[in-house]
Amino acid sequence: MKQVLQDLERAILELVQAPGYQAVKPKVIAKLMKVPSEESHLVRKAVKRMVSAGLLEFGGGHLVYPAGKRKGDDKKVDVEIIGVFRRREAGYGFVRPRGTPEGAGKEDDIYVPPEWSGDASSGDLVRVRLAHRGGAKRRGLGPAGQIVEVIERQTSRFVGTYFEEEGLGYVQVDGTVFAQPVFVGDAGAKSVRPDDKVVIEMLRFPNHYRRGEGVIVEVLGPLGKPGVDTLTVLREFNLPGDFPAEVLADARRRAAEFEETVPPDRYDATGEVTVTIDPEDARDFDDAISLERLPEGGWRLGVHIADVSHFVPPGSPLDHEARDRATSVYLPDRVIPMLPELISNGLASLQPGKVRLTVSAYIEFTAEGIKTDVSLRRSVIRSDKRLTYEQVDAFLADPAGETRRLGKKVADLLLTMRELAALLRARRMRRGALELVMPEVKVDLDRGGQVMGAHVVPNTESHQMIEEFMLAANEAVAETLYARGWPFLRRIHRPPSLRKLRLLQEFLEGLGYPTDQLEDRFSLQRILRHFTGKPQQYAVHYAVLRTLQRAVYSPHQEGHFALASDCYCHFTSPIRRYPDLTVHRLVHALLLNENPRINPVELVELGEHCSAREERAELAERELVRLKLLAYLGERIGLEMDAVVTGVESYGMFVQGVALPAEGLVHIESMTDDFYRFDRATHSLTGHRAGRQYRLGDLVKVAVARVDMERRQLDLRLIEHLGHPGPNTLGDSLRMFDWKKRKSGKAREPLSTAPRGGKKKVSSESDKRGGPARKSPGKSNRPKKKQTEKNRPAE
């Protein structure tokens, strides 16, 4: 409900601030916005909230005016804005106004000096009052303002390291959330010991003038003990734990009711040759493929997806829990499933030889790969074979030698799948789909959860085959629901912002590649193809990736930019994604000729909830990998490794290791062989004397200089510039290591992006009350100004 009101507030503000707006009552605003009558009370509630926040005013007759524009009111009104606050280590921060488009620049962010920031913490939703003086623009920092209210805390619980000083207990919160330690009182509370990782509840948030105070609510264990890093991330991101008893009981009831038979109201597809293709260690098989040649030379593709909706009816305990979780979370050492394993790995999993309920999308194509017909079915299948990606790749490399092992029916199916997938992929590329070529490296852990190596995540022909069929099914289902006229959760990927496209254009021109206006995906596609196989390949592909926005869930018809699809949704993974489950329910309603009740406002809220949960899962996975890599490298100071430059700023370079995907900073002050100048247009640092240039995508050799586990920072020392890598250069570097086989994860969609940024040093000086400063193992040379942003591929 909170998010619904926020969306309404944004829409109302646009309406009342539009030229020609005449003051009207809230009920008229609801009509102008075409809000259903049964939802009009939400408009009234949103207006009242905005009046309280100083964004709107009531005039005579309960008419609604923009703030400061009430008829007959000549007094000067302070302008107040609601937004999210991000604090910097020096105490100042910025507020990004709510509703700012993703990808927008920082010029409109509101600068908040330390003395005006109150006790707001990073991520809090705040109300900020703009300054009246000439400080509206402060040395390029944007308009200035003062926080007058914290509307909503992002969290009141934090994870940190406990220590004692003068008989009193303190906690240094991990990362750069708080510069100073938080006082927690009695040093003996909960039998905590120095250097234990703990969870605290804030009693009083710190501000510019006083220290924060909290209470320890959980002791996770000694720093460095196996498993404590995972517990730290679980608590830090508030990830779900065990399933409640009523949810497990609900799952058992569904299991008791299930029979391995073909119900009379379902299409019997048990006679079709079907296979599942998944990672070697996968336990939940949610998709299977069948494919046949049509007499006229075309194809009939069957994409069979586990019918999770049969076991998770709306409003059930299983449904409430799945909706709240919204996604399975894949951490390096464990999986936190969206559904209990009795459902995800049992009843709904398309295990070979088992009769399983499915929802099938049958898609017919011409011999040239043109889609001609889509038929959705409530079906039943019996998978003939459970295959791994490695097995399929081995077969495709030697069909004759592997046919006897797999059997002729399965072998013929795989060869047919290869042929159709190649056609579909070529057609998708022709319509403008983007394909970035960058190696992805994942860490391998031992039984104690410690880093023991790494492996390259492949994108082989078998992966691409399944990817094409899943994309085809997702698009076919979305188009079917759209034709029916029903709102549904789409997977949307908005085009890049003009600002980021301009930056990309400057970068390309700095490489000597003249570009016209980057107005569409085809221009980006041409750029990617032009540089593929050339020394600048990784620099350009990284730059394009940084330009793209993040894919999200929304009922709005905005298309998927990277996939070049006008109508797209997620349908193929209902075991691990709640949006897919909602789409399955609509497909059932369509096939049963029912009219589901769809609330557009609630659908917007659900999309934002699922998008936020997805982002939380990605951030948690990335943060746990960071912790494990830092622990590994902390015992290997001086270790040399090859790395790729992933970000260039005026204060240095962010790089990611090739052998181990650890990210760190090479500070410009440590580059003592020359005086380096930063060129924003080309994302490069250039030596003043020798002219040596370091830019995005370059390969360098670095050494581990310093590891700060509390602040989660890695400082690196530059040893050598290895050049501007092409595919062979980086490939040779990757092959120097004994890579393990891929262990987990499904590559289903080739693109979307998730932003992440580098951490920075936090001041360890005492505050004005003279409290203690947490000792640090060494002085950090991290910058105190700007923070870079980096994207990575996701689904």
Side-chain angles (χ1 to χ4, degrees):
M1 182 60 67
K2 175 188 68 179
Q3 192 60 53
V4 174
L5 289 174
Q6 291 175 358
D7 292 333
L8 281 174
E9 289 172 10
R10 190 157 53 240
I12 292 168
L13 198 59
E14 291 177 1
L15 175 67
V16 301
Q17 290 181 344
Y21 168 76
Q22 298 293 324
V24 293
K25 294 183 178 181
K27 65 179 181 179
V28 179
I29 290 178
K31 290 181 180 179
L32 292 173
M33 296 174 60
K34 298 182 180 180
V35 175
S37 58
E38 62 269 19
E39 305 291 344
S40 61
H41 68 282
L42 294 178
V43 174
R44 294 194 298 273
K45 186 173 182 179
V47 168
K48 289 181 180 179
R49 280 168 46 113
M50 296 172 74
V51 170
S52 299
L55 298 173
L56 301 177
E57 293 182 3
F58 280 130
H62 224 59
L63 299 178
V64 179
Y65 291 86
K69 299 294 181 66
R70 190 168 52 194
K71 188 174 181 180
D73 192 352
D74 296 328
K75 67 178 183 179
K76 188 171 184 179
V77 178
D78 290 329
V79 178
E80 296 182 347
I81 293 174
I82 294 175
V84 176
F85 178 63
R86 297 293 177 189
R87 187 184 288 275
R88 299 295 188 260
E89 61 176 287
Y92 67 88
F94 296 89
V95 172
R96 169 146 291 198
R98 195 164 59 189
T100 301
E102 186 179 352
K106 299 179 181 179
E107 57 272 9
D108 292 327
D109 289 356
I110 301 164
Y111 168 69
V112 181
E115 65 273 16
W116 286 0
S117 62
D119 65 355
S121 179
S122 283
D124 289 350
L125 184 68
V126 301
R127 183 158 53 94
V128 59
R129 179 177 297 145
L130 297 186
H132 284 307
R133 299 180 187 147
K137 294 283 182 181
R138 295 189 174 193
R139 299 171 60 184
L141 292 176
Q146 179 178 5
I147 292 176
V148 295
E149 180 187 2
V150 176
I151 298 174
E152 183 179 348
R153 296 284 186 188
Q154 183 185 50
T155 183
S156 60
R157 291 199 171 192
F158 300 90
V159 178
T161 305
Y162 175 80
F163 72 99
E164 297 175 2
E165 189 163 299
E166 298 180 356
L168 297 177
Y170 297 86
V171 170
Q172 181 65 57
V173 174
D174 288 356
T176 59
V177 178
F178 301 115
Q180 304 301 326
V182 176
F183 174 70
V184 292
D186 182 8
K190 288 188 173 291
S191 302
V192 63
R193 298 181 178 181
D195 289 332
D196 276 353
K197 302 298 293 187
V198 299
V199 181
I200 64 170
E201 180 89 29
M202 293 297 295
L203 299 176
R204 186 181 66 190
F205 280 78
N207 61 23
H208 184 60
Y209 305 101
R210 69 163 188 256
R211 178 179 303 280
E213 183 177 350
V215 59
I216 296 175
V217 295
E218 184 180 4
V219 179
L220 303 180
L223 182 65
K225 180 181 177 181
V228 171
D229 52 2
T230 300
L231 282 175
T232 295
V233 169
L234 291 176
R235 299 300 184 268
E236 180 178 330
F237 289 91
N238 194 29
L239 296 176
D242 295 335
F243 287 98
E246 64 271 18
V247 174
L248 295 176
D250 192 18
R252 296 187 190 103
R253 284 195 299 272
R254 310 294 170 186
E257 296 168 356
F258 177 68
E259 296 180 3
E260 279 196 52
T261 59
V262 180
D265 61 343
R266 285 185 177 252
Y267 175 70
D268 187 354
T270 56
E272 299 179 15
V273 179
T274 58
V275 297
T276 62
I277 304 176
D278 293 276
E280 187 174 10
D281 65 342
R283 291 183 295 170
D284 56 331
F285 314 128
D286 52 10
D287 56 80
I289 299 296
S290 65
L291 181 62
E292 61 176 318
R293 281 279 200 172
L294 298 177
E296 61 274 17
W299 318 76
R300 186 173 186 257
L301 169 67
V303 179
H304 311 278
I305 307 301
D307 188 3
V308 176
S309 61
H310 175 81
F311 303 101
V312 188
S316 64
L318 275 168
D319 180 53
H320 286 304
E321 184 70 15
R323 181 187 178 110
D324 181 61
R325 297 187 178 216
T327 182
S328 295
V329 182
Y330 295 90
L331 300 176
D333 54 1
R334 71 179 65 186
V335 176
I336 305 173
M338 185 181 78
L339 295 167
E341 293 190 350
L342 186 61
I343 303 293
S344 60
N345 298 343
L347 303 181
S349 183
L350 307 183
Q351 300 166 358
K354 297 284 189 180
V355 174
R356 288 293 183 258
L357 304 180
T358 50
V359 178
S360 299
Y362 287 98
I363 312 169
E364 293 188 10
F365 300 92
T366 67
E368 296 76 26
I370 301 173
K371 181 168 54 185
T372 58
D373 185 63
V374 174
S375 175
L376 304 182
R377 298 282 185 89
R378 300 172 70 248
S379 55
V380 179
I381 72 164
R382 183 189 288 113
S383 174
D384 290 87
K385 199 79 171 177
R386 179 267 201 263
L387 298 172
T388 67
Y389 289 118
E390 291 81 3
Q391 288 175 321
V392 175
D393 286 324
F395 168 80
L396 295 176
D398 181 21
E402 295 287 325
T403 295
R404 178 176 296 181
R405 183 176 60 84
L406 295 180
K408 189 174 186 311
K409 290 193 303 183
V410 172
D412 289 345
L413 173 61
L414 292 177
L415 290 175
T416 311
M417 289 169 59
R418 168 194 250 179
E419 190 175 351
L420 177 60
L423 278 174
L424 297 181
R425 186 175 184 82
R427 291 189 65 84
R428 191 163 58 84
M429 293 300 117
R430 283 198 296 272
R431 75 185 190 190
L434 304 181
E435 184 177 30
L436 299 181
V437 182
M438 290 180 296
E440 183 182 356
V441 183
K442 289 201 172 184
V443 297
D444 296 320
L445 307 177
D446 60 20
R447 291 182 178 274
Q450 305 303 306
V451 174
M452 58 178 289
H455 65 277
V456 176
V457 178
N459 185 27
T460 62
E461 189 174 6
S462 63
H463 291 81
Q464 293 172 8
M465 282 167 42
I466 295 301
E467 175 183 286
E468 291 305 322
F469 297 149
M470 298 302 110
L471 293 175
N474 286 336
E475 193 171 59
V477 170
E479 290 171 349
T480 302
L481 294 178
Y482 175 64
R484 184 65 176 82
W486 289 345
F488 60 96
L489 272 189
R490 301 167 183 262
R491 182 68 165 176
I492 66 171
H493 185 221
R494 299 182 180 94
S497 68
L498 293 177
R499 184 186 67 88
K500 287 198 171 183
L501 286 174
R502 283 195 298 270
L503 292 175
L504 176 62
Q505 188 171 2
E506 292 175 0
F507 172 70
L508 294 171
E509 290 172 351
L511 295 180
Y513 181 78
T515 61
D516 297 328
Q517 186 69 25
L518 300 178
E519 71 283 352
D520 56 30
R521 63 173 62 89
F522 291 100
S523 56
L524 291 177
Q525 191 185 62
R526 286 193 296 271
I527 290 166
L528 293 173
R529 286 177 176 173
H530 175 82
F531 284 101
T532 297
K534 296 185 178 180
Q536 303 91 347
Q537 171 179 313
Y538 293 104
V540 172
H541 284 231
Y542 269 119
V544 171
L545 181 59
R546 290 160 60 99
T547 303
L548 299 175
Q549 299 198 45
R550 179 186 180 85
V552 297
Y553 296 107
S554 170
H556 301 308
Q557 186 182 352
E558 299 187 54
H560 198 296
F561 179 81
L563 295 178
S565 177
D566 294 330
C567 192
Y568 191 75
C569 73
H570 274 169
F571 160 76
T572 53
S573 293
I575 286 178
R576 61 188 179 96
R577 294 188 306 222
Y578 193 80
D580 303 54
L581 180 56
T582 67
V583 169
H584 274 238
R585 288 169 178 165
L586 291 177
V587 171
H588 276 289
L590 182 70
L591 298 177
L592 295 174
N593 210 18
E594 298 173 347
N595 288 314
R597 180 184 177 275
I598 304 174
N599 187 319
V601 177
E602 290 181 359
L603 203 57
V604 170
E605 180 184 19
L606 179 60
E608 294 184 346
H609 167 74
C610 292
S611 299
R613 285 289 193 255
E614 177 188 53
E615 185 175 12
R616 180 183 72 168
E618 292 170 357
L619 290 173
E621 177 192 3
R622 198 154 60 236
E623 200 63 22
L624 184 52
V625 169
R626 185 206 301 269
L627 284 176
K628 290 185 178 297
L629 287 172
L630 287 176
Y632 178 83
L633 295 175
E635 300 175 353
R636 293 164 175 81
I637 302 298
L639 174 71
E640 297 183 3
M641 59 184 182
D642 292 353
V644 177
V645 177
T646 58
V648 182
E649 296 290 343
S650 59
Y651 47 78
M653 303 181 298
F654 286 92
V655 303
Q656 177 172 309
V658 174
L660 291 171
E663 295 178 285
L665 175 69
V666 177
H667 200 286
I668 196 169
E669 292 179 1
S670 70
M671 301 168 65
T672 57
D673 63 314
D674 205 337
F675 175 76
Y676 286 90
R677 293 176 296 186
F678 173 60
D679 186 342
R680 184 177 301 277
T682 60
H683 295 274
S684 66
L685 292 171
T686 304
H688 180 69
R689 293 189 298 272
R692 182 178 290 110
Q693 186 181 62
Y694 296 89
R695 67 188 182 205
L696 197 69
D698 279 3
L699 196 63
V700 295
K701 184 179 287 294
V702 296
V704 177
R706 177 178 175 273
V707 173
D708 188 334
M709 288 296 297
E710 289 181 358
R711 295 187 177 114
R712 302 180 186 178
Q713 295 171 346
L714 171 63
D715 290 327
L716 300 167
R717 175 172 51 85
L718 181 67
I719 297 177
E720 184 182 359
H721 185 215
L722 301 178
H724 311 305
N728 293 334
T729 309
L730 193 53
D732 291 342
S733 182
L734 290 168
R735 282 189 288 274
M736 291 170 58
F737 302 92
D738 183 18
W739 300 110
K740 310 293 182 183
K741 290 183 178 181
R742 183 182 184 184
K743 297 237 174 171
S744 64
K746 290 190 178 183
R748 285 298 184 252
E749 285 176 32
L751 269 177
S752 78
T753 53
R756 57 178 172 175
K759 299 271 187 180
K760 303 198 303 295
K761 172 183 175 284
V762 180
S763 171
S764 61
E765 297 176 359
S766 171
D767 71 4
K768 295 186 178 182
R769 293 181 59 194
R774 179 67 167 134
K775 301 281 191 302
S776 178
K779 182 179 179 181
S780 171
N781 58 0
R782 295 232 165 207
K784 292 188 178 182
K785 292 184 180 179
K786 294 165 57 177
Q787 177 173 324
T788 189
E789 204 175 58
K790 185 164 77 67
N791 296 331
R792 74 178 182 111
E795 187 179 351

